[in-house]
Amino acid sequence: MRVVQLTAASGDDEFTCTLADWNFIRDLGLTFGWHPTGTTYLPQQGQRARHNPIKHDYQPGDSQDRKRVEAADSARWAAALEEAKRSPFISGMLRKHIQQREESRPDAEPSLHSQVQRFIEFARRGAFTIALSDTN
């Protein structure tokens, strides 16, 4: 199972989830009005940051290729997910994702709902980086 690790810009806050759940959270935000502005690669040690960085997608690379989601983008993503939570269709969307994961635990839907809520709280706190975890 591939795990995505998000780290707050401050370095003292983390959020982890499976790659499948990461893609679901991204798609859920897109469905409910999030317009992503793109990620940027963090400069490698010894490199200088670009003034006009090239924007990239939200697919995580390995720990050497961390991508940064800026604070304003993160806040808009959290707002779109809040909108999703108010939707009458959210339970069906959660159930569909759980079925695609082929998970049959009785607590799977509340667990996924809770994970979305934890991501919202994490994203509200500002910029963060994404990468696949080295512990795969």
Side-chain angles (χ1 to χ4, degrees), residues 42-128:
L42 295 181
Q44 297 297 316
Q45 196 151 7
Q47 292 180 337
R48 294 178 50 194
R50 292 180 156 156
H51 290 309
N52 295 312
I54 298 168
K55 297 294 184 169
H56 299 277
D57 63 22
Y58 291 75
Q59 286 302 314
D62 66 26
S63 63
Q64 299 302 308
D65 292 320
R66 299 187 77 77
K67 292 178 182 174
R68 179 179 169 99
V69 176
E70 297 300 332
D73 193 20
S74 181
R76 287 188 299 271
W77 194 349
L81 292 172
E82 281 291 351
E83 186 68 29
K85 284 177 34 187
R86 290 188 290 274
S87 169
F89 304 108
I90 189 65
S91 288
M93 296 172 93
L94 294 172
R95 278 193 301 274
K96 181 70 174 172
H97 177 66
I98 290 164
Q99 288 171 350
Q100 289 174 335
R101 288 192 319 199
E102 298 178 355
E103 194 170 338
S104 60
R105 294 183 339 217
D107 69 332
E109 185 178 335
S111 177
L112 182 56
H113 191 276
S114 175
Q115 184 171 29
V116 170
Q117 182 59 42
R118 285 192 315 274
F119 176 81
I120 291 169
E121 292 164 7
F122 177 85
R124 281 186 185 143
R125 291 192 282 272
F128 61 88

Side-chain angles (χ1 to χ4, degrees), residues 12 23 25 27 32 37 45 48 59 61 65 90 107-108 129:
D12 61 353
N23 290 330
I25 290 169
D27 292 347
F32 285 89
T37 57
Q45 196 151 7
R48 294 178 50 194
Q59 286 302 314
D65 292 320
I90 189 65
D107 69 332
T129 62

Side-chain angles (χ1 to χ4, degrees), residues 16-50:
T16 59
C17 63
T18 66
L19 182 57
D21 288 351
W22 169 254
N23 290 330
F24 174 74
I25 290 169
R26 184 200 60 219
D27 292 347
L28 190 61
L30 290 168
T31 299
F32 285 89
W34 172 52
H35 298 285
T37 57
T39 61
T40 55
Y41 281 105
L42 295 181
Q44 297 297 316
Q45 196 151 7
Q47 292 180 337
R48 294 178 50 194
R50 292 180 156 156

